Amino acid sequence: MADHHTDDNDGGDHEGSLPDERALRTAIGRLRVKPGSDLVLAKRATDGDFGMSKEQALARLTETRARIDVLQQRLYAESRRSVLLVVQAMDAAGKDGTIRNVLTGLNPAGIRVSSFKAPGGPEAQHDYLWRVHQQCPSRGDIAVFNRSHYEDVLVVRVKQFVPEAVWRRRYAHIRHFEQLLGDEGTTVVKVFLHVSKDEQARRFQERLDDPEKRWKFRAGDLDDRALWPEFQSAYQDAINETSTDDAPWYVVPADSNSRRNMAVGEILRATLERLDPQIPEPEAGLDGVKVV
Ligand code: AMP
Ligand code: MG
């Protein structure tokens, strides 16, 4: 289920076995943005490889998916809590590829992926959280957002769709909204797929040159690319303003597809492990029952 990009840099030699579980967990933990830590995006790696070759990352993700599958079934059986994974990124950082590769093979009944485009129709007639709240997960489910309410402090800010006073107060709305979700049983976790500007150029070119991929490219993508510094600032502020203990942001290096997918898999897995969903107690009196 690899993402067939030619650009999956394999940064050097990675002989031998996978980094041990603890080292990997530490490396993934470092991607988290601690509340009040004043993230500087430019200082975060876009090309981290976690000491793994591409093959090792693929193998680890396969293992992780199997574990997520077990935990997802327990979450569903428990039917009390839910998980919301928010995926945000610049164009071509790999939102779709990440979602496809991390969730492949899971029970579709327990997963819902929602993509948020520019709001239209009734969406545009309501507050910006209206459409998002409706797509939040039911108890027992995992919901994944491909873009999200964060667009309303990102593209909306950069393109000046609303005045600063309007987008600025949204950070507090978002913190409170996510706190509400957490209080009511939905664990929120957010990933920013951090791609370099050079890697985006390579991927855009690949989209343009490959007839199978050209549909993904819009001329407007170049307008957004021209606003790269503005988008990075908007991301940096949004992440700093809304990374909380209960709804943390993770900045995931995204220049390598295989390591990016592996890392997002780890983050989802760790979130589920922490929840530790429990299979409900069976009905009393079933011991020794024979089905005839
Ligand atoms: P894509 O994800 O590449 O299919 O593109 C979706 C487009 O919708 C992106 O250009 C987003 O910036 C845009 N979009 C998503 N949410 C909003 C929003 N709330 N306001 C304005 N544009 C949005
Ligand atoms: Mg796009």
Side-chain angles (χ1 to χ4, degrees):
M1 272 305 136
D3 220 3
H4 293 290
H5 273 272
T6 50
D7 48 36
D8 200 344
N9 321 312
D10 196 336
D13 292 332
H14 301 280
E15 298 301 327
S17 55
L18 292 175
D20 67 75
E21 188 86 27
R22 252 187 66 190
L24 181 57
R25 215 173 304 144
T26 305
I28 297 293
R30 284 204 195 100
L31 305 180
R32 189 168 69 92
V33 178
K34 294 195 191 76
S37 63
D38 217 0
L39 165 81
V40 178
L41 258 189
K43 290 191 184 159
R44 292 288 188 119
T46 59
D47 62 352
D49 69 3
F50 305 96
M52 283 188 189
S53 68
K54 180 179 170 177
E55 289 68 30
Q56 287 172 328
L58 291 173
R60 174 68 190 180
L61 179 58
T62 302
E63 226 179 89
T64 300
R65 272 199 305 256
R67 182 69 186 146
I68 292 174
D69 187 43
V70 169
L71 293 165
Q72 191 226 329
Q73 289 188 46
R74 287 187 197 159
L75 187 73
Y76 186 78
E78 184 194 76
S79 219
R80 286 199 300 117
R81 296 173 293 173
S82 57
V83 172
L84 171 60
L85 174 66
V86 172
V87 183
Q88 284 286 160
M90 298 294 289
D91 283 312
K95 293 186 292 297
D96 301 272
T98 300
I99 292 169
R100 176 156 43 89
N101 283 279
V102 172
L103 303 179
T104 286
L106 299 182
N107 180 0
I111 302 235
R112 181 155 68 164
V113 180
S114 302
S115 299
F116 295 96
K117 313 274 180 191
E123 294 177 345
Q125 303 307 319
H126 290 81
D127 70 84
Y128 67 98
L129 290 174
W130 181 77
R131 64 173 181 165
V132 173
H133 205 168
Q134 293 177 64
Q135 303 303 323
C136 286
S138 304
R139 298 187 201 288
D141 285 356
I142 298 174
V144 180
F145 285 178
N146 183 338
R147 304 188 189 268
S148 66
H149 44 300
Y150 283 96
E151 293 295 329
D152 293 282
V153 291
L154 295 165
V155 68
V156 165
R157 162 180 169 175
V158 172
K159 301 281 186 70
Q160 302 180 359
F161 293 156
V162 299
E164 173 167 351
V166 173
W167 58 256
R168 197 165 275 290
R169 67 190 177 205
R170 289 180 174 169
Y171 297 136
H173 302 158
I174 291 173
R175 281 192 300 268
H176 287 133
F177 172 59
E178 292 178 355
Q179 190 189 344
L180 172 148
L181 295 177
D183 288 349
E184 296 292 323
T186 299
T187 294
V188 181
V189 61
K190 301 167 294 199
V191 295
F192 172 59
L193 310 179
H194 191 27
V195 76
S196 68
K197 198 176 176 196
D198 286 349
E199 182 59 24
Q200 188 197 51
R202 261 193 295 281
R203 294 182 187 184
F204 275 173
Q205 198 61 56
E206 192 179 332
R207 287 180 178 186
L208 280 163
D209 295 346
D210 180 346
E212 279 287 315
K213 290 185 177 170
R214 189 173 280 188
W215 66 272
K216 290 192 196 176
F217 191 86
R218 296 172 303 109
D221 290 347
L222 293 179
D223 301 335
D224 289 359
R225 178 172 169 79
L227 293 166
W228 186 274
E230 289 81 359
F231 270 105
Q232 295 291 307
S233 300
Y235 266 108
Q236 185 172 294
D237 290 349
I239 292 169
N240 277 321
E241 290 279 353
T242 62
S243 202
T244 62
D245 284 325
D246 291 333
W249 274 104
Y250 289 79
V251 176
V252 176
D255 286 353
S256 156
N257 296 330
S258 58
R259 280 73 155 221
R260 174 201 68 206
N261 298 342
M262 182 279 299
V264 174
E266 295 300 319
I267 291 163
L268 180 57
R269 173 189 183 152
T271 303
L272 287 161
E273 301 270 16
R274 266 194 297 276
L275 283 179
D276 191 20
Q278 301 294 315
I279 295 167
E281 287 294 320
E283 277 178 44
L286 294 179
D287 276 353
V289 170
K290 291 275 178 285
V291 179
V292 289

